[in-house]
Amino acid sequence: MRRGYIIGVISLAALFMTSCHSGEADSPSRFGRFYLDELKNQSVSERRYQEVSFEKLFVVPTTTGPFLYAPGAVFVDHQGYIYVVDYGVMKIQRLSPSGEYLTTYGIEGAGEGPGEFLSITDFGIRGDSLVYLVDSYKRKIVSFSVDGTFLEEKSLREDFRAAQPMKYKQTATGREYVLFGTGPVLLETRSGGDIDEILSISSLVNHETMGSLGTEGWLNTYGENLVYLLSRYPLLLQYRPDGSLVYARTTVDFGDDFKEPEVEERILGGLPASRLVGHYYHLSPVTIEKSKLFVYSVIPPRTKPSGAIDVYDVTSGDYLYSMYLPEGDPFSWTIYQNERVYQVKDSTVVVWKIKL
């Protein structure tokens, strides 16, 4: 597909964003709200499915484990320990690789005290010792040891009201990446006392009223680099710690029928509000294993199946192949890790062994 097509199909949106470290090209390509002068399309526009088989290993909770009220997210460390976010009680449970309950992260309370939180918009584990989560409502990062002991919480800005962290990741060395929902910066990197912008909200047109609408997505780290996958756009980015762009790639979903989400004005509670109307491409975080990047993609309903696990080369962003889901698409959260697929369904987490 020609690169120039991207410019032709995108309407003049109210928001545009420039990479603070983009090249010196005179006419950078425009993709949605991003100006990217190094944007490249995938060499294929249709999925190539690899034949796989699945074996159901177990379902969480087990008969002896605690009840899950509203599980909505799962993450897994490289040793296979499972972490389930239960939004019904706003806590995280840690389970063994075979599903036995081990401990809970989160202290009873109203979200005001240390170790308490009111929302969980991202989470992760650094090495084998530190579990962290983002409370975007209280604008803080909360950390625990793996045994459930509260360690610390911190705000990322002195004026916490001006910056709402939405996504957050740490590398093995402790470098931090933050995606903000409000404030002067959209995406930044932190190491020790050094803070560097990668993308600035000040580069948005009319950002006072529209903010960073449309830039929601998922972060992961590859070594010291940052991988950024957008939810609303078929777009995959990787940045170095200094903020320079490694690559900007369209995902396999990009095609002739791509339509940029539209802004819809609404009244909520008597106040004006805006929301994006359009297709979600990616509903779960990206996972990285052996230089491969695994993405749960939502395929438009007109096609069957309506969901797939897409696999990319994390170093180049090249699309490699796709896998069908174990049980169709009644799942809102699906990730691949350690040759297993984890899917949230109702009040359970179903764990599958995958065989290539």
Side-chain angles (χ1 to χ4, degrees), residues 133 139 186 211 234 314 334:
L133 62 92
R139 290 166 165 79
L186 176 70
V314 70
T334 299

Side-chain angles (χ1 to χ4, degrees), residues 280-316:
Y280 273 98
Y281 288 92
H282 312 110
L283 287 178
S284 299
V286 295
T287 57
I288 298 172
E289 193 171 283
K290 298 178 181 179
S291 298
K292 292 182 179 179
L293 186 147
F294 298 85
V295 176
Y296 171 40
S297 296
V298 181
I299 306 173
R302 67 181 182 282
T303 62
K304 293 295 183 180
S306 59
I309 298 173
D310 296 327
V311 186
Y312 297 83
D313 183 323
V314 70
T315 60
S316 64

Side-chain angles (χ1 to χ4, degrees), residues 40-44 48 236 247 249-252 291-293 310-321:
K40 295 181 180 179
N41 296 332
Q42 296 294 334
S43 59
V44 297
R48 300 184 296 235
L236 175 65
Y247 59 73
R249 302 298 305 268
T250 59
T251 64
V252 70
S291 298
K292 292 182 179 179
L293 186 147
D310 296 327
V311 186
Y312 297 83
D313 183 323
V314 70
T315 60
S316 64
D318 289 337
Y319 169 73
L320 300 176
Y321 58 88

Side-chain angles (χ1 to χ4, degrees), residues 36-105:
L36 297 167
D37 60 356
E38 300 177 39
L39 181 64
K40 295 181 180 179
N41 296 332
Q42 296 294 334
S43 59
V44 297
S45 58
E46 295 184 358
R47 285 177 169 81
R48 300 184 296 235
Y49 284 96
Q50 180 167 311
E51 291 297 326
V52 298
S53 60
F54 297 95
E55 174 189 353
K56 184 181 289 188
L57 296 180
F58 56 89
V59 177
V60 175
T62 62
T63 55
T64 58
F67 180 77
L68 292 175
Y69 291 89
V74 177
F75 64 107
V76 183
D77 65 26
H78 291 291
Q79 293 182 306
Y81 289 92
I82 306 165
Y83 303 79
V84 182
V85 180
D86 190 340
Y87 292 107
V89 291
M90 207 56 65
K91 288 180 171 53
I92 296 176
Q93 290 187 15
R94 184 176 190 246
L95 311 170
S96 74
S98 55
E100 289 81 15
Y101 170 78
L102 298 175
T103 192
T104 297
Y105 306 92

Side-chain angles (χ1 to χ4, degrees), residues 21 38 175 177 189 196-198 222 224-227 237-247:
H21 300 274
E38 300 177 39
R175 175 177 292 277
Y177 289 100
T189 178
D196 296 305
E197 293 183 5
I198 295 177
Y222 179 60
E224 290 296 294
N225 288 2
L226 173 71
V227 175
L237 310 172
Q238 186 177 150
Y239 290 97
R240 300 181 184 89
D242 64 1
S244 59
L245 188 67
V246 178
Y247 59 73

